[in-house]
Structure formats: structure tokens, C-alpha cells
């Protein structure tokens, strides 16, 4: 296999396709400041020749304008000398991911198809509720983990998103909701879940750096209590997530036996259920006021029996976990190997867990009509290229005669 620098093989695929890991430099040669910390902004200014003392001051001002005020150009930055705007403009930019498509569901859920500067597509979803608004953010283009029930896991192309592309999603949502400058009251975007495309703990550094900016009081200023990171169970990274990011943890458990979890979440072969639950018990900051969410997708005749529900309760008790269980009705997609459990089955499962004193709400699927629901995220890029191939084949056919 090709081993050029910056290329990342995709585990789990028979025929791995190497894809670029780092974002190539922008075609215009400018450095995008979105996603950079104060120190990184300062270093970029100095590298471009700005005198250190001035760079220190400017980096603070730039930070405030970018993350607190949502500025997208230098000319609006009124406390930075006008004469300096062109200098900044020639070297730097304040960008968002490009919007390829924006869709609104009949239930108000919004989905955006976004494109990176090097042409990779990823998605972001906003779910408005009466008392909150949740942005579902992607951490990777595609996902290498291949969970059998998840559409994202079938994408062949995978690339880590950069901190800029992750923070950029939140900034874009703020743009479209008109929520600048950052303010504590009356926001529509109140919560963030790292539950879009990708496995956030396989892109740890970028996710951490991005969320630090999101949580900074003079940045996007969202409290860590309103941010949830969902992992399929990357055990070795969980303690670091608790210590270095400190957000709420959600774990995609989905099964209570080795046999079933090995099948539907293949990562289980590497980090088993007991190991995963022990890591949850040790998760820094988890307590009764901040419970760990266990996500459990309801798959007909696969993981949805009363015995499974009892076993789930036993495991949660065994590890003394401050837990709540989110039951997610399986969202079907074309070609999926599973069906959703019946409503009666889901109710029975939920009751057993609930009667054991553990909250077990059934999550209402949102945005199904625009393929925005959990596990349905898979960019249309692949579908489109298939359609394009078909069109090309037709044209060729027509040309031939
Ligand atoms: N990779 C991370 C976060 C993204 S997935 C993780 O797996 O936790 C967000 C949630 O949606 C996970 O719990 C995932 O298992 C669930 N999910 C995936 N496909 C689904 C589907 N088709 N129907 C319902 N939930 C699904
Ligand atoms: Fe990846 Fe999560 Fe989908 Fe599994 S459920 S394939 S970890 S995005």
C-alpha cells in the first residue's frame, strides 16, 4: 500500500483507501485563524513579522472579535488600526466551512452539508426544542469504526476534522441563528453534542482544542455542562477526555453481551463491555448530578429482550454507575441489516430499566425526513458521485450511438 506522508489508512476496510490526514494549505496561501488559540494566533502574527509586544495585544483583540463577536472580516474590527486591516487581510482569514446544502425538516430540525477547503464533505444538525437548542457536531469525515447499524460507518472516505472545522460548525450555526455576540441569556443554541459524524476520541486533540475554545468564557462561552461527547468506547482515551475536556460523557453501549456487541459495535472486540464500564466508573466528574448517558439503539430481535434490559440494569449496578439510559429507536437506511424494535418492545425494555430506578427515556427521532436523525448522517457526496457516474455512462452510451 502507498505510504506517502499525511495519508491515513482506514482500519476495518478490506481495501483501505489512504486519505490526507492534515488539511493542505489553502490555495490562496492565507492562514485561517478560526480554531486557533490565543497563543497560536500570536505565534502566527509573529511568524508573519509582527513585533512580539504588538502581536500579544492583537492576538487578544482578534480572539475576542472572532469567537465572541463572530467577526468574519478584519475591517469590522474597530479597535484594530484601520491601516493594519489590509496587512491582516493579505495573510489571514476568518472562515467558516462552506455550506453546500441546508435543509429544514418538517419538525424544525435543520441539517447542513458542509465542505472543507480541500473538498471533504461533512454534516451538522441543529435540533430545536421548547427549552433548548442542540447542535450535533461532527468530529470526522466518515468514521473508521463500522458499527453495523450506522450509516456514517459505511463511508469509505475518512478524514479527521481540524479544530477550525469543528469550532467552525458552531460558529456557522451561530451565524445562521443570528446569535452574535456570545451572550449568556436567551440563546437558541444552548447545547452541543459531539454526535455527528465520526468518533470524537479518535480525533482527540482536535476535539479537545475545539471544545476548549467553545467553552472559553470570552469565546463561544458554552458551559461544559451543556456539552456532551459521545464515544463508542475508546477506553484508553476516556480518562483523558474527562481530565482534559471535562464535558458530559455519553457511551454508545447498544448491547450487553459480548456476542451481540462484537457484531454491532466491532470496537468491542478490542475494548470489551466490562473494560468499558470500568472506564465509565472511573470517569472524572461523573456523579449523580452529572450522569453518564448510555445510548442504546433498539434493534428488533437483536438486543431488545427483557433479559437484555435486566442484564443492563445488573451491569449498571455492578459498576455503581451514575447512569441514565437513552433508548434510541433504530433509524433505518437503505441497505441496513436491522429493523427497529416494535414500540411495545421498546416500552417494555424502558419500563424494566425505569423500575430499577434508572431513567430510561425513549428518544424521539428528529429530522428523519431529511436524513438528519442519529446514524443517518452520510454525505450525499458518494451518492452524487454514483449519480455522476451513471450520467457519464449514459452520455457515453448516447455518444456511441
Ligand atoms: N461515534 C460516536 C458519536 C456519533 S454516533 C458514537 O458512536 O458514540 C451518535 C449516536 O447515534 C451513537 O449512539 C450511535 O450509536 C447512534 N446511531 C448510529 N446509527 C444509528 C441508527 N441508524 N439509528 C439510531 N441510532 C444510531
Ligand atoms: Fe462511528 Fe459512532 Fe457510527 Fe459507530 S456509531 S460507525 S463509532 S459514528
Amino acid at each position: 500500500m502507498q505510504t506517502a506522508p499525511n495519508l491515513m489508512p482506514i482500519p476495518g476496510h478490506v481495501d483501505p483507501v489512504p486519505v490526507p490526514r492534515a488539511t493542505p494549505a489553502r490555495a490562496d496561501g492565507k492562514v485561517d485563524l478560526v480554531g486557533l488559540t490565543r497563543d497560536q494566533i500570536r505565534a502566527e502574527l509573529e511568524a508573519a513579522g509582527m513585533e512580539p509586544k504588538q502581536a500579544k495585544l492583537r492576538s487578544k483583540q482578534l480572539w475576542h472579535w472572532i469567537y465572541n463577536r463572530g467577526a468574519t472580516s478584519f475591517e469590522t474590527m474597530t479597535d484594530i488600526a484601520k491601516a493594519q486591516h489590509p496587512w491582516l487581510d493579505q495573510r489571514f482569514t476568518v472562515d467558516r466551512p462552506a455550506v453546500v446544502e441546508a435543509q429544514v425538516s418538517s419538525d424544525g430540525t435543520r441539517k447542513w452539508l458542509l465542505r472543507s477547503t480541500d473538498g471533504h464533505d461533512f454534516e451538522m444538525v441543529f435540533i430545536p426544542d421548547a427549552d433548548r437548542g442542540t447542535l450535533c457536531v461532527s468530529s470526522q469525515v466518515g468514521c473508521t469504526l463500522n458499527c453495523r447499524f450506522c450509516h456514517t460507518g459505511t463511508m469509505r472516505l475518512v478524514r479527521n476534522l481540524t479544530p477550525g472545522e469543528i469550532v467552525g460548525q458552531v460558529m456557522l450555526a451561530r451565524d445562521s441563528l443570528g446569535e452574535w455576540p456570545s451572550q449568556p441569556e436567551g440563546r437558541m443554541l444552548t447545547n452541543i453534542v459531539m454526535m455527528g459524524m465520526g468518533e470524537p476520541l479518535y480525533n482527540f486533540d482536535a476535539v479537545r482544542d475545539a471544545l476548549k475554545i467553545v467553552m472559553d468564557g470570552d469565546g463561544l462561552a458554552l458551559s461544559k455542562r451543556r456539552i456532551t461527547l459521545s464515544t463508542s468506547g475508546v477506553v484508553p482515551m476516556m480518562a483523558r477526555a474527562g481530565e482534559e475536556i471535562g464535558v458530559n460523557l455519553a457511551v454508545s453501549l447498544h448491547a450487553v453481551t459480548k456476542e451481540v456487541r462484537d457484531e454491532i459495535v466491532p470496537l468491542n472486540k478490542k475494548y470489551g463491555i466490562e473494560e468499558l464500564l470500568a472506564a465509565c466508573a472511573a470517569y472524572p466528574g461523573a456523579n449523580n448530578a452529572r450522569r453518564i448517558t448510555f445510548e442504546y439503539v433498539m434493534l428488533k430481535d437483536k438486543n431488545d429482550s427483557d433479559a437484555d434490559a435486566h442484564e443492563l440494569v445488573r451491569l449498571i449496578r455492578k459498576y455503581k454507575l451514575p447512569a441514565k439510559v437513552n433508548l434510541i429507536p433504530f433509524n433505518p437506511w437503505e441497505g441496513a441489516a436491522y429493523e427497529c424494535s416494535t414500540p411495545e418492545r421498546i416500552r417494555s425494555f424502558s419500563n424494566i430499566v425505569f423500575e430499577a430506578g434508572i431513567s430510561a427515556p425513549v428518544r424521539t427521532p428528529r429530522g428523519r425526513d431529511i436524513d438528519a436523525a442519529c446514524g443517518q448522517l452520510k454525505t450525499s457526496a458518494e451518492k452524487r458521485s454514483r449519480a455522476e457516474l451513471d450520467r457519464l455512462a449514459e452520455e457515453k452510451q448516447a455518444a456511441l450511438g
Side-chain angles (χ1 to χ4, degrees):
M1 204 185 71
Q2 198 180 341
T3 50
N6 288 340
L7 298 182
M8 155 167 132
I10 301 178
H13 282 287
V14 190
D15 170 28
V17 183
V19 293
R21 178 163 226 164
T23 332
R26 292 168 56 98
D28 60 9
K30 292 184 183 181
V31 173
D32 191 358
L33 297 180
V34 173
L36 302 190
T37 62
R38 290 179 184 82
D39 285 347
Q40 287 167 335
I41 295 175
R42 183 166 74 165
E44 289 294 346
L45 294 175
E46 284 187 31
M50 191 182 277
E51 185 264 320
K53 216 168 156 195
Q54 194 185 164
K56 190 173 175 191
L57 170 70
R58 292 288 182 242
S59 65
K60 282 189 188 145
Q61 292 169 313
L62 283 163
W63 165 281
H64 182 80
W65 279 107
I66 295 169
Y67 300 120
N68 187 279
R69 306 289 293 270
T72 52
S73 72
F74 298 105
E75 62 198 23
T76 57
M77 303 183 182
T78 43
D79 56 358
I80 295 177
K82 236 186 184 154
Q84 204 165 51
H85 293 172
W87 185 89
L88 287 166
D89 204 31
Q90 278 156 21
R91 292 160 180 83
F92 302 104
T93 177
V94 182
D95 248 352
R96 314 286 194 250
V99 177
V100 181
E101 203 179 334
Q103 285 174 280
V104 185
S105 156
S106 52
D107 69 12
T109 302
R110 302 184 194 190
K111 181 174 87 168
W112 287 263
L113 175 62
L114 307 174
R115 186 163 295 166
S116 65
T117 43
D118 60 336
H120 289 285
D121 290 356
F122 52 103
E123 292 178 338
M124 143 180 126
V125 176
F126 180 68
I127 308 152
D129 273 306
D131 58 338
R132 62 168 69 186
T134 306
L135 188 70
C136 183
V137 171
S138 291
S139 56
Q140 296 182 307
V141 173
C143 184
T144 54
L145 288 172
N146 309 121
C147 297
R148 291 270 314 266
F149 51 86
C150 174
H151 211 189
T152 309
T154 66
M155 285 174 67
R156 288 172 58 82
L157 198 65
V158 181
R159 155 145 115 49
N160 281 336
L161 294 178
T162 63
E165 288 159 349
I166 298 169
V167 183
Q169 293 174 63
V170 185
M171 302 186 51
L172 193 65
R174 281 260 178 95
D175 292 348
S176 92
L177 295 168
E179 302 212 306
W180 298 112
S182 296
Q183 55 202 358
E185 301 294 328
R187 288 179 185 168
M188 278 176 75
L189 200 181
T190 57
N191 291 57
I192 289 180
V193 291
M194 295 302 300
M195 292 188 189
M197 291 177 157
E199 168 50 55
L201 296 189
Y202 267 11
N203 187 16
F204 183 83
D205 291 356
V207 167
R208 177 200 52 208
D209 294 352
L211 290 181
K212 288 227 142 115
I213 292 171
V214 171
M215 292 186 282
D216 193 295
D218 186 37
L220 294 157
L222 259 140
S223 152
K224 65 177 183 180
R225 287 167 202 287
R226 291 185 171 273
I227 302 175
T228 301
L229 183 149
S230 176
T231 179
S232 56
V234 184
V235 169
M237 299 309 289
M238 285 169 58
R240 279 189 69 195
E243 282 152 19
E244 296 177 36
I245 314 177
V247 294
N248 303 320
L249 181 68
V251 171
S252 295
L253 190 62
H254 304 318
V256 289
T257 65
K258 173 166 170 54
E259 191 199 349
V260 177
R261 197 161 192 270
D262 275 358
E263 175 190 322
I264 65 179
V265 184
L267 185 67
N268 194 62
K269 294 180 199 149
K270 209 165 172 187
Y271 311 115
I273 294 174
E274 304 272 340
E275 207 182 329
L276 174 57
L277 296 180
C280 290
Y283 186 74
N287 55 45
N288 282 334
R290 286 187 83 198
R291 294 170 183 276
I292 295 175
T293 304
F294 289 96
E295 294 160 282
Y296 200 98
V297 64
M298 299 301 297
L299 304 174
K300 190 175 181 182
D301 299 331
K302 183 49 70 181
N303 63 357
D304 62 352
S305 70
D306 285 354
D308 289 322
H310 287 295
E311 178 61 5
L312 179 58
V313 171
R314 189 189 69 81
L315 286 169
I316 289 173
R317 286 194 178 143
K318 177 178 171 191
Y319 287 91
K320 300 191 175 63
L321 293 164
K324 58 185 175 198
V325 174
N326 249 346
L327 299 175
I328 317 174
F330 171 62
N331 289 309
W333 38 275
E334 212 183 304
Y338 304 103
E339 278 176 67
C340 184
S341 309
T342 62
E344 298 76 43
R345 201 64 318 275
I346 299 179
R347 212 169 307 131
S348 171
F349 194 105
S350 168
N351 285 344
I352 291 170
V353 180
F354 184 75
E355 275 157 24
I358 301 162
S359 141
V362 181
R363 219 197 259 171
T364 324
R366 299 287 303 267
R368 266 191 179 172
D369 54 340
I370 54 167
D371 284 351
C374 271
Q376 288 187 325
L377 300 187
K378 180 177 190 229
T379 67
S380 42
E382 281 178 65
K383 294 175 220 158
R384 201 175 293 139
S385 69
R386 163 57 46 198
E388 258 161 40
L389 286 177
D390 289 345
R391 186 175 48 77
L392 286 174
E394 264 172 40
E395 279 174 8
K396 204 169 161 192
Q397 199 68 35
L400 284 174

